[in-house]
Amino acid sequence: MGNRYCGACRGERGCRDCTAAARAAGYAGITEFSAEGLFQEDASQETAVLGDAASGYQSGMPEALLMAADIGTTTLGFVCADERGRVLASYGAENPQRRTAADVIGRIDAACHGAGEQLGKQIREALAEGFLFVLKRAERIFAGRSAAWERLPVRIALAGNTTMQHLLLGYPLDGMARAPFRPYSVEEVHSSFASLFSETVAYAQFPDTVREAGVFVFPCLSAFVGGDVLAGAYALSFPGIAGGAGRENGSYLLADLGTNGELLLSVSGNVYATSAAMGSAFEGGRFAYAADLFRLMADALRERAADETGLLCEPYFTEGFSGLYQEDIRTFQLAKGAVRAGIEVLCEYAGIDAGQITAVFLAGGAGRYCQTGDLLRTGFMPEEFRGKLRVVGNSCIGGLLRYLSSPGERLHCTGEVINLAERPEFEELYYRWMEFPDNVPERT
């Protein structure tokens, strides 16, 4: 079954996250990712790929090791894979920067007031610890062959939102603290493991092959459209991203919805992107799984426990509805309004209707184990997306592995970034889409 464990318990306690990953049909999250056959429809095929990665080395060794990390605002995701991108070990952890600020705006502000060096050290320490964990976990597969293991060449790639990458690389954040929100750099970075992590506590425990390895940091598009969403689009072969020739030249939308909501639309090879503030609805909030919040919200609407404005009716306003309270609904509505308005603005800018989009890929915290029906029932996604939604989990990790398993392939992406705050129609759309459908069908 491969390595199915989570950052919460590292597989030691058998918590819900571990078991949910094993049974969630169609989920292609970080524990199921490999660069080969990334998005097979059959979940059993996905697990077979993982099983082969571990069981296929009874006597031999991989040709190389790939290590990748998704630097999220709330969580960090790590994998160690073989040269084909087949996952040997994975791990998730909380981003320690949350102790300073929950979101990127708070961290930009903290960095501009003297905490930048501290935040950078925190993320480098956490990344080094995560890499060491997956490396040691993968090494167990090759017990007794440590000499050969420590000679394996290593390739490493990282991606996160623009703020996380700036803090990692020690870039100043002053330009992102105020309009027009200009990052210090959005270019890809080729660095070395030693230059980034030599001052971390974990560094001395790495073999020479890791300490001598190169590290690739994905390019970004703008201050609020980062390397993580570009890595996801690259994993999905979006036209307009290098390596995107494998997908038809249609219209494709990637919605990477975590603490920050990033939307990337590819229309006939032209790329358009924007960012919508999500708050704590799906990461860092009261619900560990966004799927639970979507399910409860759909049930509350269906049973008329809440009306189209999101107001809970009595007795639920006082007592809550199956653990769903008024403040949860308001947080959900803020995220919903921002995402729906962002999708509409993006489509209008690209000159298409939502119904013309060929396929919609949902990544990030909001896509974790979600039923696509609940996304439509709550109006979080347009009805025009029915039959087109695909939950892809951590597409960023998939893009990192794809890049690492394709040596020599170069990335390029030029796209138009739309600032929603500068669009006059955004505010009206935002408030309009905070409301829910007034006729929610029965669960099927």
Side-chain angles (χ1 to χ4, degrees):
M1 293 291 291
N3 300 294
R4 296 181 179 277
Y5 54 92
C6 69
C9 79
R10 303 186 184 183
E12 305 300 329
R13 297 197 306 268
C15 72
R16 179 178 177 182
D17 202 6
C18 301
T19 54
R23 68 170 180 262
Y27 175 68
I30 119 180
T31 50
E32 280 106 355
F33 258 110
S34 77
E36 179 180 302
L38 271 177
F39 299 102
Q40 298 171 5
E41 295 289 351
D42 186 346
S44 65
Q45 294 178 31
E46 286 284 353
T47 57
V49 170
L50 261 189
D52 289 345
S55 64
Y57 292 112
Q58 297 303 317
S59 58
M61 294 288 288
E63 295 177 13
L65 291 178
L66 315 180
M67 294 204 299
D70 171 16
I71 315 170
T73 307
T74 302
T75 57
L76 309 174
F78 303 87
V79 293
C80 180
D82 69 8
E83 74 284 351
R84 291 167 61 187
R86 297 178 301 178
V87 175
L88 301 168
S90 61
Y91 173 55
E94 183 180 88
N95 188 327
Q97 295 173 340
R98 288 188 66 195
R99 294 191 289 269
T100 300
D103 56 26
V104 295
I105 301 301
R107 289 179 211 174
I108 291 171
D109 182 67
C112 292
H113 288 85
E117 185 175 343
Q118 173 197 344
L119 290 167
K121 182 177 179 181
Q122 282 179 335
I123 199 63
R124 287 189 289 275
E125 290 281 0
L127 288 172
E129 289 174 7
F131 280 136
L132 187 63
F133 182 86
V134 290
L135 187 69
K136 288 186 176 295
R137 178 72 75 164
E139 187 177 7
R140 295 182 186 181
I141 299 169
F142 307 95
R145 289 172 273 172
S146 58
W149 171 262
E150 293 191 357
R151 290 196 299 270
L152 290 173
V154 177
R155 299 194 291 272
I156 302 170
L158 307 166
N161 63 57
T162 312
T163 300
M164 294 301 100
Q165 293 190 185
H166 272 50
L167 290 170
L168 167 69
L169 297 167
Y171 290 165
L173 283 159
D174 306 66
M176 292 172 59
R178 61 189 65 85
F181 306 108
R182 290 195 175 130
Y184 179 81
S185 174
V186 295
E187 299 299 319
E188 65 184 54
V189 172
H190 295 267
S191 185
S192 67
F193 190 85
S195 66
L196 287 173
F197 302 110
S198 61
E199 296 182 0
T200 63
V201 174
Y203 182 75
Q205 301 179 62
F206 287 98
D208 288 343
T209 49
V210 175
R211 286 186 277 187
E212 295 165 0
V215 177
F216 177 75
V217 183
F218 256 71
C220 302
L221 269 183
S222 73
F224 299 108
V225 180
D228 49 0
V229 73
L230 282 185
Y234 175 68
L236 293 159
S237 297
F238 269 36
I241 311 289
R247 193 173 291 283
E248 291 181 5
N249 236 13
S251 299
Y252 302 93
L253 176 68
L254 171 61
D256 190 342
L257 307 177
T259 310
N260 306 300
E262 294 165 306
L263 304 170
L264 189 146
L265 178 65
S266 174
V267 179
S268 300
N270 297 310
V271 174
Y272 308 90
T274 193
S275 176
M278 297 283 293
S280 60
F282 307 118
E283 285 189 0
R286 242 177 26 87
F287 290 86
Y289 304 95
D292 292 339
L293 178 55
F294 277 112
R295 175 181 53 79
L296 286 173
M297 194 66 250
D299 288 345
L301 293 168
R302 187 181 302 105
E303 297 182 25
R304 304 293 182 185
D307 63 21
E308 67 273 12
T309 70
L311 183 67
L312 281 169
C313 309
E314 287 292 0
Y316 305 112
F317 184 83
T318 304
E319 301 174 2
F321 175 82
S322 300
L324 182 74
Y325 296 94
Q326 192 65 64
E327 62 182 295
D328 302 319
I329 296 177
R330 293 307 183 213
T331 302
F332 183 94
Q333 286 181 285
L334 293 174
K336 175 181 179 292
V339 170
R340 285 296 303 270
I343 291 172
E344 195 159 328
V345 169
L346 209 57
C347 287
E348 181 182 344
Y349 195 90
I352 65 168
D353 297 324
Q356 294 176 269
I357 294 178
T358 309
V360 180
F361 301 93
L362 191 69
R368 201 176 192 186
Y369 320 131
C370 280
Q371 298 295 318
T372 56
D374 290 338
L375 302 175
L376 298 169
R377 290 184 188 98
T378 58
F380 192 87
M381 286 286 151
E383 182 62 32
E384 292 92 331
F385 289 173
R386 184 174 295 278
K388 300 176 181 180
L389 286 168
R390 297 184 66 187
V391 176
V392 295
N394 195 320
S395 57
C396 173
I397 289 286
L400 295 172
L401 289 181
R402 177 175 177 177
Y403 176 82
L404 290 170
S405 61
S406 308
E409 185 165 81
R410 290 190 56 82
L411 287 170
H412 67 265
C413 175
T414 54
E416 295 187 61
V417 179
I418 295 91
N419 184 343
L420 295 179
E422 296 177 352
R423 300 290 296 185
E425 71 272 32
F426 175 72
E427 186 174 357
E428 179 187 346
L429 292 170
Y430 176 74
Y431 287 112
R432 178 200 304 174
W433 292 118
M434 281 178 64
E435 294 206 351
F436 296 102
D438 59 5
N439 184 23
V440 179
E442 293 297 318
R443 183 180 295 276
T444 56

